[in-house]
Amino acid sequence: MFKGLSPILYNGREVWPLIEGGKGVAATNHASAGAWAAAGGVGTVSAVNADSYDADGKIIPQIYRALTRRERHEELIEYAIEGAVQQVKRAWDIAGGKGAININVLWEMGGAQRVLEGVLARTKGLVAGVTCGAGMPYKLSEIAAHHQVSYLPIVSSGRAFRALWKRAYSKASEWLAAVVYEDPWLAGGHNGLSNAEDPLQPQDPYPRVKALRDTMREGGISDDVPIVMAGGVWYLRDWNDWIDNPELGKIAFQFGTRPLLTQESPIPEEWKQRLMTIEQGDVLLHRFSPTGFYSSAVRNPFLRNLEARSDRQIAFSTQEAGDHVFQLDVGVKGKNFWVTKGDLLRAREWFGSGFTMALKTPDNTLVFVTPEEAKEIRKDQADCMGCLSQCLFSSWADSETNSTGRLADPRSFCIQKTLQEIAHGGDVEQNLMFAGHAAYNFKRDPFYSNGFVPTVKQLVDRILTGD
């Protein structure tokens, strides 16, 4: 047992202060969450478009048959509730009364409140708590209190928590079980990097977590309410100074990337093998996500293609103005595209390399793509099923108009499509592969030598030693 580490009281029982990070779509499910709880920790079912099963136990493909976005959005919510309910029930059975089962939702996913209400209504007594981030989930506390479950908001700063506490959480403080600090420079998936913070200048998490604890103390929150450190957590020995530290109060740890590589992990074998090849620096903090948030993923050909697409970008004016005095003569129809001489020459070069279609962005720029790319982009935008509250890529919004009112952005991508594909056997090089920035440890950590893939129990036991 790693020195100083002791169980915490959660949902009426003692559990290890080790939380499985919820990863959607379908990268944490009943098998991984149930096993994590059975090992004495807090397992987390991702309730982001989770898989459902047929009578034979086979995954039911999420196929959208409706003709309109709004109708497909309703199909998505039905899939989401049914899938999460099935996952929770199966996880509960696997846990066997040990540990605890949480669910994770993204506040900015389409129909988040309806999905959360629908899942909790059908899983009474099974879900211990809800972790929720990706946005400012003000209503999380109200929903959790109504269903009598704990809530664990995910924030990236004390400032964000202060806003949530003052507006809503202080009115349901008894259900606040922990606050998850997700480090925006270290964690995988979407994160809460603000416009005031530099993605290329990581900050030490310690003073940020201390500031969060100070904010919690201002609100009268006990030091026994843990702060969960999430992002970059691999070896507990690296966090020795955090455990039993009166400056920080009670600390727990969330593991998101490390549980991807276990026998119970639902991700495909090809994905697991790819994790063992990641080098330091291979994970990119980027802003291509249609949520508009920063996120971290493996810099594979899928991500490199998005980088290259944005590099093939020029500004234009609809009339002659300033140094925009040259008419663009490639990639566009019509004459109302005025660009600089340098951009005209670059556009002609891209055109000659096969990037013959220029697509408008919401920022009065054009990106040059191949005809095949343009066709795929248009189809993916047309097939939108409203998986986000607002989508930059398709201009969908979960509102009365079902539109953001802005031009759809071809520099982004359909996140539902790619996450479903990679989770269910799609090409790991041609899809979005979320990962935390410590993923290079799969290649370096002797625990995984000779291709060893542990069970969840073996992984939790290993973590408890400090390694």
Side-chain angles (χ1 to χ4, degrees):
M1 183 59 51
F2 189 65
K3 59 181 180 180
L5 194 74
S6 58
I8 58 173
L9 193 64
Y10 180 63
N11 199 38
R13 65 167 63 115
E14 285 193 339
V15 299
W16 290 118
L18 309 178
I19 297 176
E20 176 192 28
K23 298 172 288 296
V25 170
T28 44
N29 72 351
H30 68 276
S32 61
W36 195 273
V42 181
T44 306
V45 166
S46 169
V48 181
N49 297 106
D51 288 330
S52 302
Y53 305 92
D54 64 18
D56 298 323
K58 294 178 181 176
I59 293 172
I60 298 171
Q62 295 186 14
I63 298 169
Y64 296 88
R65 296 179 170 84
L67 296 178
T68 69
R69 286 182 174 188
R70 169 50 64 183
E71 290 171 318
R72 290 195 294 270
H73 178 69
E74 294 302 319
E75 289 180 290
L76 176 126
I77 288 174
E78 286 182 30
Y79 278 132
I81 294 172
E82 180 60 32
V85 168
Q86 288 193 28
Q87 295 293 342
V88 166
K89 289 178 177 178
R90 286 171 176 240
W92 173 263
D93 290 342
I94 292 169
K98 298 177 181 176
I101 299 293
N102 280 355
I103 61 172
N104 173 252
V105 294
L106 305 177
W107 197 247
E108 292 300 326
M109 71 185 192
Q113 293 182 54
R114 290 172 61 191
V115 172
L116 187 53
E117 292 270 15
V119 174
L120 292 177
R122 291 174 55 189
T123 55
K124 289 190 184 301
L126 308 183
V127 173
V130 181
T131 55
C132 182
M136 292 291 278
Y138 290 110
K139 292 194 175 180
L140 174 63
S141 55
E142 179 186 327
I143 295 170
H146 176 71
H147 291 278
Q148 298 189 313
V149 300
S150 296
Y151 63 102
L152 303 83
I154 301 171
V155 298
S156 293
S157 67
R159 181 180 167 197
F161 181 76
R162 179 180 285 110
L164 291 166
W165 177 257
K166 285 187 173 179
R167 181 166 162 183
Y169 294 177
S170 59
K171 299 166 190 169
S173 58
E174 66 273 27
W175 297 102
L176 178 68
V179 178
V180 182
Y181 168 76
E182 186 177 69
D183 190 89
W185 292 277
L186 295 172
H190 291 104
N191 62 61
L193 195 72
S194 75
N195 290 329
E197 293 162 334
D198 187 341
L200 301 178
Q201 295 292 325
Q203 295 179 19
D204 179 1
Y206 186 96
R208 293 172 68 91
V209 171
K210 182 182 180 301
L212 172 58
R213 177 60 77 186
D214 290 343
T215 301
M216 292 168 67
R217 287 169 178 154
E218 286 171 20
I221 300 169
S222 167
D223 277 12
D224 290 332
V225 175
I227 292 175
V228 182
M229 176 60 206
V233 181
W234 195 273
Y235 305 113
L236 285 182
R237 54 181 156 83
D238 293 339
W239 305 87
N240 181 47
D241 294 344
W242 291 48
I243 298 170
D244 280 341
N245 183 332
E247 262 194 340
L248 300 181
K250 183 74 75 177
I251 292 288
F253 298 93
Q254 180 169 297
F255 292 81
T257 299
R258 219 172 158 179
L260 285 170
L261 192 56
T262 64
Q263 292 182 29
E264 293 91 343
S265 168
I267 67 173
E269 186 62 29
E270 186 186 4
W271 190 349
K272 292 181 182 181
Q273 292 300 318
R274 181 69 176 85
L275 289 171
M276 296 187 188
T277 69
I278 294 173
E279 302 281 1
Q280 190 166 11
D282 280 356
V283 175
L284 178 71
L285 178 59
H286 66 91
R287 207 171 189 177
F288 295 113
S289 169
T291 60
F293 296 128
Y294 281 94
S295 64
S296 289
V298 176
R299 194 166 176 244
N300 61 4
F302 174 85
L303 213 47
R304 288 176 186 271
N305 181 53
L306 288 168
E307 290 180 281
R309 186 187 301 170
S310 276
D311 286 342
R312 294 189 304 273
Q313 182 172 193
I314 58 174
F316 73 92
S317 302
T318 56
Q319 56 191 15
E320 206 173 338
D323 55 358
H324 287 203
V325 294
F326 294 85
Q327 272 189 321
L328 185 62
D329 55 10
V330 292
V332 293
K333 294 177 181 178
K335 298 181 179 180
N336 295 325
F337 295 90
W338 297 86
V339 298
T340 66
K341 183 176 182 180
D343 284 346
L344 175 62
L345 296 176
R346 289 201 298 156
R348 286 174 176 171
E349 185 180 339
W350 297 329
F351 187 88
S353 299
F355 302 102
T356 58
M357 303 280 286
L359 304 180
K360 285 184 185 179
T361 79
D363 299 319
N364 289 329
T365 63
L366 297 165
V367 290
F368 281 74
V369 299
T370 64
E372 294 77 20
E373 278 183 305
K375 185 178 179 182
E376 182 179 15
I377 289 167
R378 295 297 190 221
K379 184 180 188 310
D380 289 348
Q381 289 171 336
D383 289 345
C384 174
M385 73 296 287
C387 75
L388 300 174
S389 62
Q390 292 192 57
C391 176
L392 298 178
F393 177 66
S394 69
S395 76
W396 154 272
D398 188 4
S399 63
E400 285 185 16
T401 62
N402 297 147
S403 172
T404 61
R406 285 170 61 82
L407 197 64
D409 196 335
R411 295 168 296 188
S412 189
F413 56 92
C414 176
I415 196 164
Q416 183 71 204
K417 173 189 171 186
T418 190
L419 292 181
Q420 289 284 359
E421 283 190 2
I422 195 169
H424 298 104
D427 188 341
V428 296
E429 299 300 341
Q430 298 301 329
N431 283 293
L432 182 68
M433 190 196 303
F434 279 143
H437 289 258
Y440 65 88
N441 281 309
F442 284 124
K443 193 172 182 178
R444 298 186 181 185
D445 189 336
F447 185 53
Y448 301 96
S449 58
N450 301 314
F452 177 66
V453 178
T455 64
V456 167
K457 179 68 165 63
Q458 287 171 325
L459 174 59
V460 170
D461 287 347
R462 175 79 171 191
I463 289 169
L464 287 170
T465 69
D467 285 337

